[in-house]
Amino acid sequence: MSEEPCYDCLVIGGGPAGLTAAIYLTRYHLSIRVVDAGKSRASLIPCTHNHAGYPGGISGKELIARMTEQAQMYGAAIVAGRVTRLDRIDGGFRAEWGEGSVMARTVLLATGVTNRRPPMDEDLHDAALAKGLIRYCPVCDGYEVTDKRIGVIGSGGRGVAEAVFLRGFTADITLIAPDRAHELDADDQARLTEFGIEAVDGPCQAVAAHDECIVVDTPEGHYTFDSVYPALGSDAHVELAQQVGATLKEGVLVVDSHQRTSVPGLYAAGDVVLGLDQISHAMGEGGVAATTIRNDLAKERPILRERLSGSIRAKASEGA
Ligand SMILES: Cc1cc2nc3c(=O)[nH]c(=O)nc-3n(C[C@H](O)[C@H](O)[C@H](O)COP(=O)(O)OP(=O)(O)OC[C@H]3O[C@@H](n4cnc5c(N)ncnc54)[C@H](O)[C@@H]3O)c2cc1C
C-alpha cells in the first residue's frame, strides 16, 4: 500500500482557471492539492481593464495574489512545481513533480498556453511588455491602442486576421512579416488593401523600446510604433494530457460542455481548452469543471457531511 496521500482532486496550474476551481472545490469540502509552475499568463498583464468588477483596472499579479489568498483561506494547499509525469492508476491518477508526487481520484488540467515571442532580446521584450509597448491580446487591450500607431508582427491568415481585428481600433496598422518576405494569398492581399493595412516584408527585429514607442528594424527600414502585437500563435501545455491519451484538436484539449476530457476523471479548463483565451472565460470554465468534478465524485461515493457530535436539533431544543 502506497504512503502517498490520495486527494479527491489534483489541480495542475494556478492561474485564473485553476485557482477558481480550487476555491470551488475546497468550498465543496473536497480534499485537493494545487501544483503550479508559477508562469501564469495573467501575471504578465501590467493592468487589465476589461476584467469586470475592477473599474480602475487591476494588475494580473494582484489578481492572482487575491485568488491565491482566497483559495488558501478555504484550505487549498498550493505547491510550487512543474508536474512532469501523469499516469492513470487504479481509482485515479498519479502525478510527479520535482521532489513531490501525489495520487488523486480526479485531475483538473489548467495549464494554459505560452505565446510565441517575436525575434528580439529577452530583457528588451519583458521591459516593453511591462510598458504596454508589446501586447499579446487585442481582445483584452485593443481599446487601449485606439487611434495609435500599431505594428502587427505576423503573416498569412493569422497575421491578416489580427491586423483586420485591430483595424476596429485604429486606422494606422502595419503588418510586418517575422522572418522573411510575406507570402499572402490573393484573399489576404485583397483584405489588406480593402482595410488600408500596409504590409512590410521581414525578417524583422524589435530593436529599441523607449518610454512611449517601440522601434522595429526591417529590410525596408526602421518603423516606430506606439505598440506592437506579435501574432505568432501560442503553444498549449498539453504534454500531461498526451501522457494519459486525452483527445486534442488543433493542439488544445477537447472537452464536453461540463469540462470533461475524453479520459474519465480528467478535466480541463482555461486557455488549454479551445475557446476564448480570457480571464473571465478561464474562471467560468474553472467553476464548471469544479462542480462537474464534485458531482461526478458524488456518483461514485455520496459526498455527505458527518453529523456533529450531539444533534444540532437537540441542542437547539435545550436552549429553547
Ligand atoms: C500580455 C497579456 C495580457 C493579457 N491581458 C488580458 C486582459 O486584459 N484580460 C483578460 O481577460 N485576459 C488577458 N490575457 C489573457 C489571460 O492572461 C489568460 O486568458 C488567462 O491567464 C488564462 O488563465 P489560465 O488559468 O487558463 O492559464 P494561465 O493563467 O496561463 O495559468 C496556467 C498556469 O499553469 C501552470 N502550469 C503549466 N504547466 C504546468 C505543469 N506541468 N505543472 C504545474 N503547473 C503548470 C503555469 O505555470 C501557469 O501558472 C492576457 C494575456 C497576456 C499574455
Side-chain angles (χ1 to χ4, degrees):
M1 183 75 180
S2 168
E3 294 292 312
E4 284 174 2
C6 184
Y7 292 90
D8 289 319
C9 183
L10 169 66
V11 178
I12 305 179
L19 289 173
T20 301
I23 292 165
Y24 278 56
L25 289 164
T26 46
R27 287 174 52 82
Y28 290 142
H29 294 300
L30 295 177
S31 63
I32 72 158
R33 172 63 64 106
V34 181
V35 183
D36 180 41
K39 298 255 186 229
S40 168
R41 282 212 309 146
S43 65
L44 300 174
I45 309 172
C47 186
T48 170
H49 293 280
N50 76 341
H51 188 55
Y54 297 92
I58 182 167
S59 82
K61 282 198 172 78
E62 172 68 13
L63 187 64
I64 292 290
R66 287 184 186 209
M67 294 180 73
T68 301
E69 183 189 344
Q70 191 175 354
Q72 287 173 331
M73 206 172 88
Y74 292 108
I78 303 175
V79 180
R82 173 168 290 278
V83 177
T84 51
R85 183 80 224 157
L86 184 65
D87 291 296
R88 293 170 82 171
I89 57 168
D90 212 17
F93 298 85
R94 183 170 183 280
E96 291 177 9
W97 66 93
E99 307 290 294
S101 62
V102 87
M103 294 190 297
R105 296 169 68 197
T106 61
V107 169
L108 172 63
L109 288 175
T111 45
V113 306
T114 299
N115 292 105
R116 292 183 202 135
R117 292 181 168 208
M120 67 188 289
D121 173 81
E122 209 162 301
D123 290 342
L124 180 65
H125 173 278
D126 294 350
L129 185 68
K131 289 182 192 166
L133 300 174
I134 290 195
R135 298 173 178 271
Y136 278 94
C137 177
V139 171
C140 312
D141 51 26
Y143 184 89
E144 273 63 49
V145 300
T146 298
D147 296 332
K148 303 263 172 133
R149 294 166 300 173
I150 297 305
V152 175
I153 297 181
S155 193
R158 179 190 285 129
V160 171
E162 187 132 328
V164 169
F165 184 81
L166 279 159
R167 191 61 186 75
F169 299 97
T170 174
D172 194 339
I173 307 265
T174 307
L175 178 65
I176 307 174
D179 44 17
R180 60 175 83 97
H182 278 296
E183 286 169 14
L184 300 168
D185 65 23
D187 281 356
D188 286 337
Q189 192 63 64
R191 294 187 83 204
L192 293 184
T193 307
E194 180 186 354
F195 293 104
I197 296 165
E198 185 185 354
V200 172
D201 287 335
C204 74
Q205 171 103 339
V207 288
H210 304 293
D211 275 349
E212 296 195 341
C213 67
I214 180 164
V215 181
V216 178
D217 191 24
T218 79
E220 298 177 33
H222 277 55
Y223 285 77
T224 301
F225 300 108
D226 296 310
S227 280
V228 160
Y229 282 85
L232 305 170
S234 57
D235 297 301
H237 301 135
V238 291
E239 305 80 11
L240 302 173
Q242 287 172 313
Q243 289 173 13
V244 291
T247 304
L248 304 178
K249 191 179 172 193
E250 295 169 26
V252 289
L253 271 157
V254 175
V255 292
D256 71 8
S257 58
H258 296 273
Q259 307 302 135
R260 297 183 189 98
T261 71
S262 60
V263 174
L266 184 72
Y267 304 78
D271 287 357
V272 75
V273 173
L274 187 64
L276 185 68
D277 288 354
Q278 288 285 279
I279 297 168
S280 56
H281 201 231
M283 288 179 169
E285 289 190 343
V288 171
T291 307
T292 309
I293 289 167
R294 188 252 171 241
N295 290 340
D296 287 351
L297 285 174
K299 283 179 208 153
E300 281 174 20
R301 196 158 72 212
I303 297 172
L304 302 171
R305 200 79 185 139
E306 293 294 318
R307 259 181 212 289
L308 294 175
S309 55
S311 140
I312 294 171
R313 210 175 283 148
K315 279 197 181 136
S317 61
E318 273 167 28

